[in-house]
Amino acid sequence: MRYDDSPPPPESASSISPDRRWFMRRSGLTIAAASLVPAALAAWVLTQALTGSGPDRQPPPAAAPLPASHATGLDGKPNTAAGATGATPTGTSRSAQPPAKGPLAGRTVVVDPGHNTGNFDHTAEIDRQVDIGTKRKECDTTGTTTNSGYMEAEFTLDVSRRLRTLLEAKGLKVVFTHETDRAWGPCIDERARIGNEAKADAVVSVHADGVSEGSRGYHVILPAEVKSGKADTAKIVEPSRLLGERIASNFGRTTGSSPANYLGSGTGLVIRDDLGGLNLSTRPKVFIECGNMRDSKDAAQLTNPQWRQKAAQGIADGIVGFLGG
């Protein structure tokens, strides 16, 4: 028996039994394997964290595109986030739109904001004559202004953007004839062509009138039956009338405005054969004059953002009703 703390003398290989040598080898392998397991597990966890892969080895989902409805706020100003809007050769439409849903999915509406703020600086270009079927007419005009200088083109673009947001919420595809993508125009024949090429289910051109003080109210302009040169409206007269009636009734109810007191005999509906945008259209189309910018009372409404939202809602409700939504 030993009484000190010194280690026992080492066993010689020859003095160890075969069974003991086998046990020592197995114990050493077990310890070595056990020491490798934590290192391998740590490496696997680090790989998953860096690659974002889960047990099914699928990569993480890509960032979702910006929904189309975010491209314009209720203040009418465009969202400048990448991908919010896009331009096409025949008009301006959304990019990265979410999948359309609802009873109106797959239907197309073309919205035509009347005039362009740049037209005032490009009078030579917009004075160029174009063929509207019944005659030749200026490519475009400047539009009117309020007495304080608020442009019709500013008004029409703001209402059109609000209208687009409302229509897209119903699942409709909305195409603009222009937005902020060009310095002037487009010409009236091009505006008609954009609606035709889009095979639009409805086209609405947004305007405001510029007549004398005391002339108040809205009116919707319908195409006359015209067949001359490039113009042939026979197929669109009736559906355009139905579209116009829907918009007029909804617009008046939503905004609280009355039909124009200076034309249309109080119906809010007027038929014309001298507008190229109507004469050259092959799709149901109307113009709406939302009020008179030269009348102080109408101008107070037209310059009010809350009223413009109501105007957009009234037009949207008319379009949706016409399309059966």
Side-chain angles (χ1 to χ4, degrees):
M1 181 177 293
R2 295 176 59 86
Y3 294 97
D4 58 19
D5 293 329
S6 60
E11 297 178 281
S12 65
S14 60
S15 66
I16 301 173
S17 69
D19 289 342
R20 181 157 177 77
R21 285 198 298 270
W22 174 85
F23 176 79
M24 292 173 68
R25 286 197 301 272
R26 186 182 67 172
S27 298
L29 290 172
T30 301
I31 294 170
S35 67
L36 291 174
V37 169
L41 179 59
W44 181 85
V45 171
L46 179 60
T47 300
Q48 302 310 303
L50 292 175
T51 62
S53 300
D56 58 358
R57 312 304 297 172
Q58 295 298 317
L66 180 68
S69 61
H70 288 195
T72 302
L74 292 183
D75 61 356
K77 295 181 180 179
N79 189 324
T80 56
T85 60
T88 69
T90 56
T92 301
S93 62
R94 300 287 191 160
S95 64
Q97 291 192 64
K101 298 179 181 179
L104 299 180
R107 312 291 290 277
T108 299
V109 175
V110 170
V111 176
D112 176 31
H115 313 288
N116 185 326
T117 56
N119 284 0
F120 285 93
D121 298 322
H122 293 272
T123 54
E125 290 88 345
I126 66 172
D127 283 345
R128 178 173 62 85
Q129 299 284 299
V130 298
D131 184 3
I132 67 167
T134 54
K135 60 180 180 178
R136 296 186 68 81
K137 197 171 181 180
E138 295 87 351
C139 154
D140 201 7
T141 61
T142 61
T144 188
T145 68
T146 64
N147 293 330
S148 62
Y150 180 57
M151 295 182 188
E152 180 186 356
E154 294 178 275
F155 169 82
T156 63
L157 187 55
D158 180 78
V159 171
S160 295
R161 285 172 169 164
R162 296 169 187 269
L163 174 59
R164 176 173 59 190
T165 299
L166 295 166
L167 294 176
E168 286 181 341
K170 294 291 186 179
L172 287 159
K173 176 184 177 182
V174 180
V175 176
F176 271 31
T177 57
H178 73 100
E179 193 164 356
T180 55
D181 53 343
R182 56 194 302 162
W184 56 273
C187 293
I188 53 179
D189 55 344
E190 183 182 353
R191 292 172 187 261
R193 186 166 63 251
I194 290 169
N196 297 343
E197 291 178 351
K199 295 181 171 55
D201 297 283
V203 185
V204 176
S205 190
V206 180
H207 289 263
D209 215 345
V211 290
S212 60
E213 176 76 28
S215 298
R216 298 197 62 196
Y218 68 89
H219 66 279
V220 178
I221 304 173
L222 314 176
E225 187 162 346
V226 172
K227 186 172 178 58
S228 177
K230 298 178 181 180
D232 186 354
T233 63
K235 293 181 180 180
I236 71 164
V237 167
E238 181 60 17
S240 296
R241 181 184 63 80
L242 295 175
L243 172 62
E245 289 175 346
R246 286 279 191 170
I247 290 176
S249 61
N250 281 278
F251 187 89
R253 180 167 57 251
T254 304
T255 63
S257 298
S258 299
N261 62 8
Y262 58 99
L263 76 177
S265 302
T267 64
L269 301 173
V270 177
I271 298 173
R272 290 177 60 174
D273 64 1
D274 62 330
L275 298 177
L278 295 181
N279 287 1
L280 300 176
S281 181
T282 61
R283 316 302 299 180
K285 182 173 183 178
V286 299
F287 282 45
I288 178 165
E289 300 279 0
C290 297
N292 176 22
M293 301 196 89
R294 292 291 183 174
D295 176 78
S296 57
K297 293 180 180 178
D298 271 11
Q301 295 179 331
L302 297 168
T303 54
N304 183 307
Q306 286 72 36
W307 188 90
R308 293 198 297 270
Q309 184 64 29
K310 293 179 181 180
Q313 186 69 63
I315 298 170
D317 290 346
I319 294 171
V320 169
F322 168 73
L323 296 177

